[in-house]
Amino acid sequence: MKKVLKFSLFLFVTGIFSLTANAQTVVTGAVIDAEYNEGLLGATVVVEGTTNGTVTDAAGEFSLKVESQPSVDLKISFVGYETQTISVDASRGNVDVGEIRMNATSLNIMEINVIADRAKERETPVAFSNVNAAQIENQLGSMDLPMIMNITPGVYATMQGGGAGDARINVRGFDQRNVAIMINGVPVNDMENGWVYWSNWDGISDATSSIQLQRGLSAVNLATPSIGGTMNILTSPANHQAGGSVKVEYGSGNFLKTTAAVHTGLMNDKFAMSIAGVRKVGNGVINGTWTDSWAYYVGATYNATDKHRFEMFAMGAPQRHGQNLYKQNIASYSHDYAKELGLPQGALDKFPEAEDGRLYNQNVSPVDPSYDAQQWWSGKLHDRHSEDFINERENFYHKPLVNLNWYARWSDKINQYTTLYYSGGEGGGTGTLGSVNWDYSGPSRVVDYNSTIAEHAAADTAFGILRNSRNNQWTIGGISRVKVRFSENLKGQVGVDWRTAKIFHFRELRDLLGGDFFIDMNNDFDTPADYNKVHGDKVAYNFTNTVDWFGYFAQLEYSSDMLTAYGTFGNSFIKYTYTNHFVEDPANPGAELYAESDRIFGYQAKGGLSYRPMEKLSIFANYGYISKVPIFDNVINDRNGIVTGEPVNEIFNAFEIGATYAPNRTTELKINFYNTSWEDRSNLIRVTDQAGNDAFVFLTGMDQKHMGVELEGQIKPHRLFAVGGYASIANWIYSDDVTGTFRDYDNTGVETDVEYNYYVKDLKVGDAPQMQFGVNAFLYPVENSFLQFNFRYNGKHFAAWDPFSRQEEDREQVWETPAYFLVDLHAGYTIKTASRYKVAITGHVFNLLDEIYIQDATDNSPYNGYYGDNDEYSHTAAAAEVFLGLPRTFNVGVKFSF
């Protein structure tokens, strides 16, 4: 017995000695960008002279176990930043080293932030939110890129009909036409109308290093349409560390995506290149919304000298996808849900419930597989996507974007940043033309392909066809700015912004649907022998538009420990031209119809002030005034070439105040109030004058007010738990009725005043919720893992509507859609090895509770509305058309990095 006790005591003492000899201390801290006050994801923290190390998380934080001893040297490094070494006393228990602030090297990744006008935490006097690469990878899944911004206040993004790349984003009640979307500082909004087509940028999420959304007029210098906000997407420059990754994802709708990337690393301290490719296919969750796409990204950097660096980015996404473009009456999706919303029996009778419920898509219908004719797009005939069905609406496009950036440091006080870019574009969307047969047996009509094909085969002639509406284009541009530091506190910059675009609009014959030819007589230059059209021939219309833009700006900025202030002024000049290749100029027989506008002048003036009375608190205010040039369609009618005589610029006035309180690196609270007015919103109205000629009235005076309060905060009380949240409470209304007068003259010169009235005073601006709340809860149950729940509430969402449709005295408020609550779940685990190899596993469940909700709506639909016998259901759920949100979907992924 004594021997047993002695042996046990020996083991106990030995164990205690072993534990003491190998006692470990946990060192925590955060690696921060000194210029932008942001955590650096992926910075390396290593005990010097050993292989014991870790990398920082999305907030720049790290936790590292080290031996308990008086002096432990930690080496902190990150690509493009000066390496630091700090000494830690690890002999007295766990240590928190606080913030380790890293300075970017003289010519490296900080320049892309400058050319993109990236705002700085607690300094730049604007409201903004940042989303980093880890958040995108851990939360986006199979969604379109703008959907990640739903975790920020004042932002509403939806997948609309559910087609890949058909998402849209709304900021503070302004749609994408008034939200500037920029990639590496280059504006990508459509040059004619300001819209953004996210399918053109399918795959860019895999190359995105961060997204910054500056809400409101923003601090961006360029005269971009940044009224609601500016969404700056920054892609990763060429990675200076050799390696690569392969990621495979699978999800709902048979979604399959493979992403591969490889990096050369910095060679000879001069050159580095990164290349990435994406392949994505899937059937889609909504019927017929299949996707078939590729994406590519190339980034290269060359350090010519210690004062001059060049970067090149090239990206694009050749893709095809089936679309669901038409909203439906609520009853078409679900009679039970329609009854909950108060739809009467008459609406249920008019709109039978679709067999596929909320997965219904009006833009796809079956065809007999025996019809094996090919379809025309991209210059040749191709097999259809499916032998069993045909998409009435399909999108196909490739829009490459190439940037060449030059960063130069001419002296300690003068820097120059220049980017030249090219953006192409080829493709379009499909639809019907002529007279096809329709099937009315369902909730809405769909093309009856079988009867149409049989009819055409019997007659040889195609009476109705599928067409491609093409939008081929190219844009070239340059942005250059010189930044001068006049003193320790005062700096300024001047710059120019030049762009020119040429857009080719035409329709071409895609599918004859069983016929041998289609008769089209819309081209004035055709002879009767040319009327019979076949695959690839241009039909219906064919015209070319150009947009020429030049702008310049100047900015001064003062900065001290307690104060930052800036002021910006810029001018822009725009000219439009139009050539119709199908219409003969009546004033010049034999020539194509041509029109051009005068050069139209616009300008902006804005400034802001940030005051920091203490290190933890900053207060800001900004004001801006913008005179915005009308879009192309409000200056030249692109069917008959009529030019608006005196287009009036739209005016935007915006004021904002806010504050940020950050008592420590794990806690931050932001609050701001904004007030934006949109004055002289324009509209081009087609009328027929007394002589029977077409004319267009350019009416102005439509004003709307957008005001609201936004909150955003986060706290991490424990290393195993964190929570963030946001809120937005707004009031967006049309402020006054509008009256416009058109002065008409008959053939004898007698004048008549024609009056137009719009009854919109105090009606709500629609298309986005005016009340939003969200909570993001993070759990880190074990090392290298995370579990995240996103909770979102959207309310006071008024349906979209056209204010220029209220020409009768109808003052009833537009329909308010039901509020809803959504939960998304994200999880991940990373397996790390002793070497640099690692495997990351992620999973996502969107709409975890499978909520049925309305995400997009149009008030008083002329197509799918039910009004009753005496319009008693006008401006109610019965008269609206909607897109329901997607049901519960999932996405899982595995990423191997080396």
Side-chain angles (χ1 to χ4, degrees):
M1 185 65 179
K2 290 182 178 181
K3 289 184 178 180
V4 172
L5 289 174
K6 289 181 179 179
F7 183 70
S8 299
L9 181 62
F10 171 78
L11 290 177
F12 176 77
V13 172
T14 303
I16 292 295
F17 178 79
S18 176
L19 289 172
T20 304
N22 293 282
Q24 290 187 317
T25 295
V26 177
V27 179
T28 57
V31 182
I32 305 295
D33 181 303
E35 179 79 2
Y36 289 91
N37 297 316
E38 296 175 357
L40 293 176
L41 165 70
T44 302
V45 183
V46 179
V47 177
E48 197 160 32
T50 74
T51 58
N52 180 27
T54 187
V55 295
T56 56
D57 63 15
E61 298 178 355
F62 68 89
S63 176
L64 179 65
K65 293 179 180 178
V66 302
E67 291 186 8
S68 297
Q69 55 189 36
S71 181
V72 176
D73 291 331
L74 300 181
K75 182 178 180 181
I76 301 96
S77 60
F78 190 74
V79 174
Y81 289 78
E82 297 173 356
T83 299
Q84 292 190 34
T85 301
I86 63 172
S87 185
V88 176
D89 182 354
S91 63
R92 300 180 179 180
N94 295 342
V95 180
D96 186 343
V97 298
E99 293 184 354
I100 303 167
R101 304 180 71 81
M102 304 281 283
N103 293 308
T105 53
S106 59
L107 276 175
N108 214 291
I109 62 174
M110 63 179 291
E111 275 78 6
I112 193 66
N113 291 330
V114 174
I115 206 166
D117 290 315
R118 187 171 170 84
K120 302 177 185 178
E121 288 284 357
R122 296 189 290 278
E123 290 188 31
T124 308
V126 297
F128 66 92
S129 301
N130 292 322
V131 176
N132 60 38
Q135 290 172 288
I136 295 171
E137 184 161 345
N138 292 342
Q139 300 178 46
L140 186 62
S142 54
M143 300 289 187
D144 292 342
L145 184 61
M147 300 298 290
I148 192 68
M149 304 313 298
N150 275 326
I151 61 175
T152 58
V155 177
Y156 186 62
T158 77
M159 294 289 287
Q160 297 199 97
D166 289 340
R168 57 98 176 190
I169 188 170
N170 184 299
V171 182
R172 290 183 174 176
F174 296 96
D175 68 18
Q176 293 180 157
R177 292 180 178 85
N178 285 304
V179 176
I181 309 298
M182 309 179 77
I183 299 178
N184 296 325
V186 171
V188 297
N189 296 74
D190 187 276
M191 288 280 283
E192 289 181 297
N193 59 29
W195 197 252
V196 178
Y197 304 92
W198 290 101
S199 57
N200 296 338
W201 312 110
D202 202 7
I204 194 175
S205 60
D206 301 283
T208 297
S209 59
S210 68
I211 301 173
Q212 183 177 87
L213 182 70
Q214 297 181 29
R215 298 186 294 278
L217 296 187
S218 80
V220 173
N221 294 324
L222 306 182
T224 54
S226 53
I227 311 305
T230 300
M231 183 177 172
N232 238 318
I233 303 167
L234 301 183
T235 63
S236 305
N239 197 318
H240 288 191
Q241 183 175 351
S245 64
V246 177
K247 183 177 182 180
V248 178
E249 299 172 73
Y250 181 78
S252 299
N254 208 27
F255 175 86
L256 180 62
K257 179 180 177 181
T258 304
T259 305
V262 63
H263 319 288
T264 66
L266 187 62
M267 299 184 293
N268 300 321
D269 293 326
K270 288 285 187 180
F271 178 78
M273 176 177 284
S274 295
I275 301 174
V278 180
R279 176 68 170 130
K280 186 172 78 171
V281 295
N283 297 334
V285 176
I286 304 298
N287 289 346
T289 56
W290 52 270
T291 184
D292 184 353
S293 68
W294 300 81
Y296 57 88
Y297 172 82
V298 178
T301 181
Y302 175 67
N303 297 321
T305 69
D306 61 347
K307 296 183 181 295
H308 294 269
R309 189 171 105 254
F310 296 92
E311 284 182 346
M312 187 275 291
F313 300 96
M315 66 194 75
Q319 58 82 35
R320 295 171 54 210
H321 71 277
Q323 297 183 285
N324 174 29
L325 295 184
Y326 300 159
K327 300 182 182 76
Q328 303 295 323
N329 188 279
I330 299 168
S332 299
Y333 297 118
S334 169
H335 277 194
D336 288 341
Y337 185 54
K339 291 175 184 177
E340 289 180 20
L341 300 185
L343 269 70
Q345 187 61 44
L348 305 183
D349 294 339
K350 182 178 178 181
F351 299 100
E353 184 178 280
E355 182 179 344
D356 302 313
R358 55 177 157 165
L359 306 184
Y360 174 67
N361 180 2
Q362 182 183 348
N363 297 143
V364 62
S365 50
V367 66
D368 192 302
S370 63
Y371 180 67
D372 58 0
Q374 292 183 307
Q375 296 181 332
W376 179 279
W377 72 84
S378 299
K380 62 180 182 179
L381 288 168
H382 302 261
D383 291 331
R384 299 195 310 269
H385 172 76
S386 171
E387 63 177 15
D388 297 319
F389 62 83
I390 295 178
N391 288 87
E392 178 194 352
R393 294 291 191 172
E394 177 184 327
N395 179 270
F396 59 102
Y397 215 83
H398 178 206
K399 188 176 179 67
L401 175 65
V402 180
N403 295 43
L404 179 62
N405 299 338
W406 172 28
Y407 308 118
R409 189 178 297 276
W410 298 107
S411 71
D412 291 340
K413 294 186 176 182
I414 301 177
N415 296 333
Q416 169 212 314
Y417 312 93
T418 299
T419 181
L420 300 176
Y421 61 90
Y422 163 81
S423 177
E426 183 173 304
T430 68
T432 61
L433 180 65
S435 178
V436 298
N437 296 335
W438 298 95
D439 178 358
Y440 291 89
S441 62
S444 51
R445 73 176 192 176
V446 298
V447 180
D448 187 340
Y449 289 108
N450 291 330
S451 68
T452 300
I453 291 167
E455 184 177 288
H456 290 175
D460 294 332
T461 303
F463 304 107
I465 61 166
L466 288 179
R467 46 77 183 168
N468 296 322
S469 293
R470 298 296 296 269
N471 185 356
N472 295 352
Q473 58 181 271
W474 55 260
T475 301
I476 55 174
I479 301 169
S480 185
R481 62 185 70 188
V482 175
K483 191 173 183 179
V484 181
R485 183 175 291 277
F486 299 107
S487 67
E488 180 73 20
N489 302 114
L490 184 64
K491 59 187 177 183
Q493 58 177 299
V494 294
V496 295
D497 170 22
W498 165 76
R499 314 170 215 166
T500 185
K502 196 168 189 177
I503 307 99
F504 307 91
H505 296 277
F506 59 91
R507 282 183 171 174
E508 64 183 7
L509 201 155
R510 178 185 180 89
D511 193 331
L512 283 163
L513 298 178
D516 293 332
F517 58 85
F518 175 71
I519 299 174
D520 182 83
M521 297 182 289
N522 285 291
N523 187 346
D524 290 351
F525 302 101
D526 276 352
T527 66
D530 302 315
Y531 292 161
N532 293 350
K533 306 296 183 180
V534 296
H535 290 114
D537 285 344
K538 292 181 174 63
V539 295
Y541 61 74
N542 180 16
F543 57 91
T544 301
N545 297 337
T546 67
V547 181
D548 292 305
W549 169 298
F550 179 78
Y552 63 87
F553 59 86
Q555 178 174 301
L556 277 177
E557 179 182 335
Y558 174 83
S559 183
S560 65
D561 290 340
M562 297 182 64
L563 186 71
T564 299
Y566 85 96
T568 297
F569 179 80
N571 282 350
S572 59
F573 307 89
I574 300 178
K575 183 181 180 66
Y576 302 124
T577 73
Y578 162 82
T579 304
N580 195 319
H581 309 295
F582 272 13
V583 177
E584 186 176 28
D585 187 345
N588 188 11
E592 297 175 333
L593 181 64
Y594 175 81
E596 66 178 36
S597 72
D598 294 331
R599 194 166 292 277
I600 309 171
F601 170 79
Y603 62 93
Q604 65 170 338
K606 54 188 178 183
L609 178 73
S610 174
Y611 175 59
R612 298 173 287 279
M614 60 183 70
E615 183 181 359
K616 299 174 182 179
L617 176 67
S618 67
I619 303 168
F620 75 86
N622 63 59
Y623 171 77
Y625 183 92
I626 291 181
S627 176
K628 181 188 173 190
V629 173
I631 63 174
F632 188 102
D633 289 343
N634 281 342
V635 177
I636 301 177
N637 181 275
D638 58 11
R639 290 299 187 271
N640 55 23
I642 294 177
V643 181
T644 302
E646 297 180 1
V648 178
N649 284 9
E650 298 176 334
I651 302 300
F652 294 88
N653 258 302
F655 169 72
E656 185 172 16
I657 57 174
T660 298
Y661 177 64
N664 53 61
R665 72 168 187 269
T666 62
T667 304
E668 184 178 61
L669 176 65
K670 298 180 180 180
I671 183 172
N672 61 275
F673 167 81
Y674 65 90
N675 188 338
T676 303
S677 66
W678 182 359
E679 302 169 8
D680 281 339
R681 178 175 172 180
S682 60
N683 188 46
L684 198 63
I685 302 170
R686 180 175 179 176
V687 300
T688 302
D689 63 21
Q690 295 189 49
N693 300 315
D694 283 343
F696 288 84
V697 186
F698 190 83
L699 289 181
T700 62
M702 184 71 69
D703 299 343
Q704 56 193 77
K705 304 286 186 182
H706 295 237
M707 66 175 62
V709 176
E710 297 167 338
L711 297 96
E712 190 174 14
Q714 60 184 22
I715 184 171
K716 190 175 183 180
H718 190 274
R719 59 187 296 265
L720 299 179
F721 174 71
V723 64
Y726 66 89
S728 175
I729 302 173
N731 184 32
W732 311 323
I733 62 169
Y734 293 92
S735 53
D736 292 295
D737 292 337
V738 179
T739 299
T741 301
F742 167 52
R743 183 154 294 175
D744 191 11
Y745 298 88
D746 64 17
N747 291 329
T748 64
V750 177
E751 72 177 49
T752 303
D753 287 344
V754 181
E755 191 173 84
Y756 292 86
N757 296 292
Y758 303 100
Y759 303 96
V760 298
K761 180 177 173 58
D762 296 331
L763 297 184
K764 298 288 189 179
V765 175
D767 208 27
Q770 300 191 28
M771 181 178 289
Q772 297 174 291
F773 300 98
V775 175
N776 306 315
F778 302 84
L779 298 174
Y780 308 97
V782 296
E783 189 175 3
N784 302 324
S785 71
F786 74 91
L787 190 65
Q788 177 181 351
F789 291 91
N790 291 350
F791 305 90
R792 286 184 286 148
Y793 171 87
N794 290 318
K796 297 191 73 65
H797 180 181
F798 295 89
W801 62 289
D802 179 8
F804 294 99
S805 66
R806 291 287 184 110
Q807 293 187 32
E808 297 180 1
E809 194 162 356
D810 173 9
R811 296 188 178 277
E812 189 172 351
Q813 190 61 263
V814 295
W815 177 54
E816 181 180 346
T817 70
Y820 61 90
F821 176 80
L822 293 179
V823 183
D824 296 333
L825 169 65
H826 311 281
Y829 180 71
T830 300
I831 304 169
K832 297 180 180 179
T833 65
S835 62
R836 63 185 183 184
Y837 300 110
K838 65 178 182 179
V839 177
I841 303 169
T842 55
H844 315 271
V845 182
F846 302 101
N847 192 4
L848 179 66
L849 304 180
D850 201 22
E851 178 79 5
I852 298 178
Y853 65 99
I854 293 170
Q855 64 173 13
D856 300 278
T858 300
D859 186 57
N860 275 17
S861 167
Y863 308 106
N864 296 307
Y866 177 80
Y867 296 88
D869 296 330
N870 298 302
D871 285 348
E872 66 266 33
Y873 295 104
S874 181
H875 306 301
T876 70
E881 62 179 15
V882 307
F883 280 136
L884 296 185
L886 294 179
R888 181 168 48 231
T889 59
F890 77 93
N891 174 276
V892 293
V894 178
K895 182 177 181 179
F896 172 69
S897 301
F898 55 91

